[in-house]
Amino acid sequence: MTTNILFCGYSFHTNGYHSQHKSGYPSYLFRLQTEGHCEVIVKGRKVNLEKGDLLLIKPGDHYELLVKDGQISGDYHLVCDGTWLDDWWSRSTKQEISRIDLDEKLLALWRHIMMEKRRPASIENEELTGYLLRALCLTLERTVQETVTTINHPYSVTRMMRYIEEHATSNFKVEEVALHAGLSVSRSVHLFKNSIGKTMMEYALEIRMSAAIERMKYSSMTLEQIADECGFGAYSYFHRVFKKKYGVAPGEYRRRE
């Protein structure tokens, strides 16, 4: 299945801007508001977009964009088409507008596509840009899904999980996790345990263990180095918790593998 990136870039407007496709936008459009605000009309509905709003448009949708004089509006945008996009779009319902976190990894992926598209046509790697586009689509889809609150899994818990996953191999504090989720420490601790069934540190320990096993299998690092790099600190602690979980010492586990 094919993908085709027609345009990928970043726009910043300060003196007004207006574009319209009343007869239908010709391709898929992804637009992520990162600064300021603007107005859009999608399928006849007027909406004010603010920082963190993601707009997804499919071919044929009525679309207008208006940045008024004196307004500031900055956004990442990407125009694309192809059979892979058709299949991806049809697999699940896509909301026209969703509020998401401006995650740096997501923005870095978007910028990577921009950089590849700036290369001269003679050296552009279309296979690479195709895979980057697929990765962006799937990342956007997961990010949107994670903003949906369920009874047992509020969005704030997802934010805490992602923070722990990113910082598990370093020394983080529960207070930092709570601050990231915009909650008090007591509320975040209670909510996380009720939703996930384990404490933040127990969740972090699972991630550290997974990272340690990966290094034990696929690197030549010493066990002491692995313990330090994966956030365990002293090897004695790593040895104790590893043996408790797997029933064997790290060295024996490594020899078996």
Side-chain angles (χ1 to χ4, degrees), residues 159-210:
R159 287 180 60 84
M160 288 188 278
M161 291 172 65
R162 297 297 168 260
Y163 186 91
I164 294 170
E165 290 161 6
E166 187 172 345
H167 297 85
T169 57
S170 60
N171 292 321
F172 70 89
K173 298 179 180 179
V174 171
E175 290 81 359
E176 296 168 348
V177 182
L179 180 63
H180 182 72
L183 300 172
S184 68
V185 172
S186 59
R187 174 60 177 161
S188 63
V189 168
H190 176 76
L191 188 61
F192 193 93
K193 180 64 181 293
N194 279 2
S195 299
I196 306 302
K198 59 193 71 173
T199 67
M200 295 183 196
M201 291 307 168
E202 288 171 341
Y203 187 66
L205 182 60
E206 287 187 354
I207 297 168
R208 290 169 180 167
M209 282 291 188
S210 178

Side-chain angles (χ1 to χ4, degrees), residues 41-233:
I41 299 177
V42 181
K43 295 190 288 190
R45 181 169 66 102
K46 181 182 287 188
V47 181
N48 184 60
L49 296 187
E50 299 180 346
K51 183 177 180 180
D53 283 335
L54 172 68
L55 176 71
L56 298 178
I57 296 294
K58 70 178 185 299
D61 282 350
H62 167 206
Y63 169 65
E64 296 183 53
L65 168 65
L66 175 63
V67 181
K68 297 178 180 179
D69 289 336
Q71 282 186 336
I72 293 175
S73 176
D75 68 276
Y76 286 91
H77 50 278
L78 185 147
V79 182
C80 54
D81 58 25
T83 55
W84 187 89
L85 272 300
D86 295 335
D87 179 71
W88 172 73
W89 191 278
S90 65
R91 288 200 305 247
S92 62
T93 301
K94 305 294 190 295
Q95 298 294 328
E96 287 91 6
I97 299 172
S98 304
R99 175 64 60 86
I100 66 173
D101 284 336
L102 295 180
D103 181 77
E104 180 55 35
K105 293 186 289 297
L106 172 63
L107 298 181
L109 181 57
W110 212 308
R111 289 192 291 266
H112 195 167
I113 296 174
M114 290 167 53
M115 181 186 68
E116 290 297 328
K117 292 300 293 181
R118 290 194 187 114
R119 296 178 183 271
S122 59
I123 60 174
E124 180 189 344
N125 188 327
E126 293 185 359
E127 183 178 13
L128 174 59
T129 55
Y131 280 115
L132 290 172
L133 174 57
R134 297 182 189 199
L136 178 64
C137 290
L138 297 173
T139 301
L140 288 172
E141 185 173 40
R142 185 177 70 175
T143 302
V144 170
Q145 290 172 347
E146 288 178 346
T147 64
V148 177
T149 296
T150 64
I151 295 176
N152 297 319
H153 206 157
Y155 177 48
S156 55
V157 173
T158 298
R159 287 180 60 84
M160 288 188 278
M161 291 172 65
R162 297 297 168 260
Y163 186 91
I164 294 170
E165 290 161 6
E166 187 172 345
H167 297 85
T169 57
S170 60
N171 292 321
F172 70 89
K173 298 179 180 179
V174 171
E175 290 81 359
E176 296 168 348
V177 182
L179 180 63
H180 182 72
L183 300 172
S184 68
V185 172
S186 59
R187 174 60 177 161
S188 63
V189 168
H190 176 76
L191 188 61
F192 193 93
K193 180 64 181 293
N194 279 2
S195 299
I196 306 302
K198 59 193 71 173
T199 67
M200 295 183 196
M201 291 307 168
E202 288 171 341
Y203 187 66
L205 182 60
E206 287 187 354
I207 297 168
R208 290 169 180 167
M209 282 291 188
S210 178
I213 288 176
E214 180 182 0
R215 287 160 176 76
M216 290 164 66
K217 289 181 177 179
Y218 304 112
S219 81
S220 58
M221 297 171 63
T222 66
L223 294 175
E224 288 76 11
Q225 290 172 328
I226 292 173
D228 181 65
E229 185 171 294
C230 294
F232 291 96

